[in-house]
Amino acid sequence: MDITDYMHTLGRNARAASRAMARADGATRNRALLYIAEAIEREAAALSAANQLDLDAARAAGLAPALLDRLALSPSAITTMVEGLRQIATLPDPIGEISNMKSRPSGIQVGQMRVPLGVIGIIYEARPNVTVDAAGLCIKSGNAAILRGGSEAIHCNRALAKLVTEGLNKAGLPLDAVQVVDTTDRAAVGTLITMPQYVDVIVPRGGKGLIARLIEEATVPMIKHLDGICHVYIDDKADLAKALPIAFNAKCHRYGTCNTMETLLVARSIAPTVLPQLAELYKTKEVELRADAEAQAILAGYPHLSAAVEEDWSTEYLAPILAVKVVAGIEEAMDHIDRYSSKHTEAIVTEDYSAALRFLREVDSASVMVNASTRFADGFEYGLGAEIGISNDKLHARGPVGLEGLTSLKYVVFGHGEIRS
Amino acid sequence: MDITDYMHTLGRNARAASRAMARADGATRNRALLYIAEAIEREAAALSAANQLDLDAARAAGLAPALLDRLALSPSAITTMVEGLRQIATLPDPIGEISNMKSRPSGIQVGQMRVPLGVIGIIYEARPNVTVDAAGLCIKSGNAAILRGGSEAIHCNRALAKLVTEGLNKAGLPLDAVQVVDTTDRAAVGTLITMPQYVDVIVPRGGKGLIARLIEEATVPMIKHLDGICHVYIDDKADLAKALPIAFNAKCHRYGTCNTMETLLVARSIAPTVLPQLAELYKTKEVELRADAEAQAILAGYPHLSAAVEEDWSTEYLAPILAVKVVAGIEEAMDHIDRYSSKHTEAIVTEDYSAALRFLREVDSASVMVNASTRFADGFEYGLGAEIGISNDKLHARGPVGLEGLTSLKYVVFGHGEIRS
């Protein structure tokens, strides 16, 4: 079969399954999650064997160690997947809730019912655990899913797809509610993102290059973020007992995550106090500092210091590198953020009430924080229970996206024979 | 200046103004609305004169009477615009509200703050009142706006733009917060919908042809609907005292609106009772009925009867024409709706509790009603206070869109020095 026909078939199947999923009650959807968990537990050895096939092929093809690491499905990773499904099953059902019910002068009552989006397409790299996480979130939220994982994980994803189907079947849900794209042909992605008649939203998970390409080509809306150029601004009224741990944690807790700080802004009046103390901390992790002239002068003698160039302000290092800039105060800090931020997460450290409120109100990012590490910008830390991705867009979902981001609201009207006059 | 450069200049201005608008408090934004209302009242005669220029040119160009009617700005239409602005000023401020505030185990408090979207582009036909309505809604919601009205209204829109600017200025808001595109060059629209760096969302208001073309070309997200193919299903358990007025009102209250019923579905067991009674009502309005074979047999002798063809089920007549079909019951009705509806508004008339709940839950449209006329699908009727448009999409805003649709939510985190461990 031609790849476009194949994808359209998956799309038609998914669309049909989505109606049954929207009808299914929460208990049935939870049962499917538990059956899938059970099946994965039972078939752990077979999954490891399938993963081994993928790993062998990837090693033979010379895949980078970091990618091999993501591809590997260890016994403990299998346990984590199983626990993840059981945890999703315990979350409240996002579907069917009616909110904002009001009686109107005409006599009708109007409210909004939370409903599934329909069909979700998920595009991700060779990480087999995402197959199960994404399937779990889509089932929980009453959607049908089409999953396209990195081709290096094809054996493992096939094995997982069988177990997901088994669980759906046992629960009496349509087998096509979750379909794994069973081809390594890259054209499949191009078709998936251009069939709005079958797919309601695409959630791409992967590197900036992949997502930038998808944005270029997609005609289906996406829940996505390109990158995380996150800022911490240490205000002149900052409490240093908070500022130092926050600026250290925001950079050094994990380097490769999108909510990691990439640029530190420090108010001029306290820069001579703050920067040397911070440098002591960063030195323990050999963090490279790329500083503007003023910060460079203060940091003179720091072993990993260089001059920041224009490009540094808009670079997501994902590494132990930090851009540092001295600013006059909150106004210049917010101007810098407005210009260079990717609108993911920004934090201010201050004890000044008005500065805190201004920063919260005026900084136009998905997450804005006072006196907390940017690393908290995360679905679990925010209490969403689960996270399908992060959105830097303003429409529909913004910031960490949980189950609610996979739903929509429709108006429901309870009438008693009313007509419009 | 080249048209692309001109539009990009408007875009840059709007983006800059949007920051000041987001910062402005609700009282200031309301003051601007009242100043604009005052200025329009004062300049009513000049506005009528500008409108007369447009009307003369349009008549000379042979514009259709219906379009001339929309272009005309009567003294009472001016009063309505003024009252509209004053009413928007009395609505609660949608901006700055923080909801869902929760304390998390880490110690941080997380909530969501309602914020403006940024820059709204509005594309509409030659209806000068839309200039003022749209400007009012964008100012109220803390956004900057770029307004592109139909070129036939250019004189009147220019005059209105001056008064809007005067009001913004008096309130101390940036003059570029509302910009009217001051060219009749059609290329302006093409640029407006493809500059996502400056425009956050486009609200197109106009005919299906215009919107279909915009969908094809736009790279900026849109809040839009293409058409309204709305259904009323009269269930076998319907109360005819409700069914007859609803089916009559949904078709005949106004023919040209998107929430008007275009297809009537009737359960087989009551069709022989319902259809002849309905025909008596429709006959008074000379409504043309396009019926499937079964309905045709029942309606034999109705003076404006013809056989429905496949195309009728997906046609938005916007006229005294109605497609009629007999179905076995709710299942077939929902299948028909799933296939042909534009997902705008559908209603069931029934006294059966389970049928009502199934219809509400399973029909995938922006508005789903029980025992009420589809004509209620409207921002004012739903209590939104104002309406910028209607969305048939599932992402971001769905159904009638009020001020909230022009806003986004960002996460705000109140910390006390917390770091991630």
Side-chain angles (χ1 to χ4, degrees), chain A residues 19 23 104 117 249 335 360 362-363 366 368 370-371 375 381 394 396 408 410-411 413 415 417 420, chain B residues 19 23 104 117 249 335 360 362-363 366 368 370-371 375 381 394 396 408 410-411 413 415 417 420:
Chain A
R19 273 194 74 190
R23 266 200 302 266
R104 298 292 305 151
L117 280 178
N249 184 262
D335 282 344
L360 284 177
E362 296 179 28
V363 171
V368 189
V370 179
N371 294 343
R375 285 282 295 133
E381 292 294 337
K394 289 185 190 172
H396 187 63
S408 178
K410 70 180 174 194
Y411 281 100
V413 173
R420 185 106 177 251
Chain B
R19 272 194 74 193
R23 266 200 303 267
R104 297 292 306 152
L117 280 178
N249 185 261
D335 282 344
L360 284 177
E362 296 178 28
V363 171
V368 189
V370 179
N371 294 344
R375 286 282 296 135
E381 292 294 337
K394 289 185 189 173
H396 188 62
S408 178
K410 69 181 174 195
Y411 281 101
V413 173
R420 184 108 177 250

Side-chain angles (χ1 to χ4, degrees), chain A residues 19 22-24 29 95 104 106 108 110 113 115 117 200-201 221 242 245-246 249 253 334-335 338 358 360-363 365-373 375-376 378 380-384 394-396 398 400 408-421, chain B residues 19 22-24 29 95 104 106 108 110 113 115 117 200-201 221 242 245-246 249 253 334-335 338 358 360-363 365-373 375-376 378 380-384 394-396 398 400 408-421:
Chain A
R19 273 194 74 190
R23 266 200 302 266
R29 285 179 271 120
I95 299 303
R104 298 292 305 151
S106 62
I108 61 170
V110 186
M113 183 190 281
V115 292
L117 280 178
D200 294 291
V201 68
K242 291 170 185 152
I246 287 172
N249 184 262
H253 183 249
M334 292 198 300
D335 282 344
D338 188 56
R358 275 200 68 187
L360 284 177
R361 174 72 181 262
E362 296 179 28
V363 171
S365 295
S367 290
V368 189
M369 305 182 168
V370 179
N371 294 343
S373 168
R375 285 282 295 133
F376 282 108
D378 173 281
F380 289 95
E381 292 294 337
Y382 282 3
L384 304 185
K394 289 185 190 172
L395 295 183
H396 187 63
R398 194 178 192 196
S408 178
L409 292 172
K410 70 180 174 194
Y411 281 100
V412 290
V413 173
F414 292 98
H416 321 79
E418 284 85 358
I419 58 170
R420 185 106 177 251
S421 56
Chain B
R19 272 194 74 193
R23 266 200 303 267
R29 286 179 271 118
I95 299 304
R104 297 292 306 152
S106 62
I108 61 171
V110 186
M113 184 191 281
V115 293
L117 280 178
D200 294 291
V201 69
K242 293 171 184 151
I246 287 172
N249 185 261
H253 182 250
M334 293 198 300
D335 282 344
D338 189 56
R358 275 199 69 188
L360 284 177
R361 175 71 180 262
E362 296 178 28
V363 171
S365 296
S367 290
V368 189
M369 305 182 168
V370 179
N371 294 344
S373 168
R375 286 282 296 135
F376 281 109
D378 172 283
F380 289 93
E381 292 294 337
Y382 282 2
L384 305 184
K394 289 185 189 173
L395 295 181
H396 188 62
R398 193 178 194 197
S408 178
L409 293 171
K410 69 181 174 195
Y411 281 101
V412 291
V413 173
F414 293 98
H416 321 79
E418 284 84 358
I419 58 171
R420 184 108 177 250
S421 57

Side-chain angles (χ1 to χ4, degrees), chain A residues 35-54:
Chain A
Y35 286 135
I36 296 168
E38 209 175 276
I40 291 175
E41 235 170 9
R42 187 194 69 219
E43 298 294 334
L47 286 170
S48 292
N51 185 236
Q52 198 54 54
L53 287 178
D54 289 329

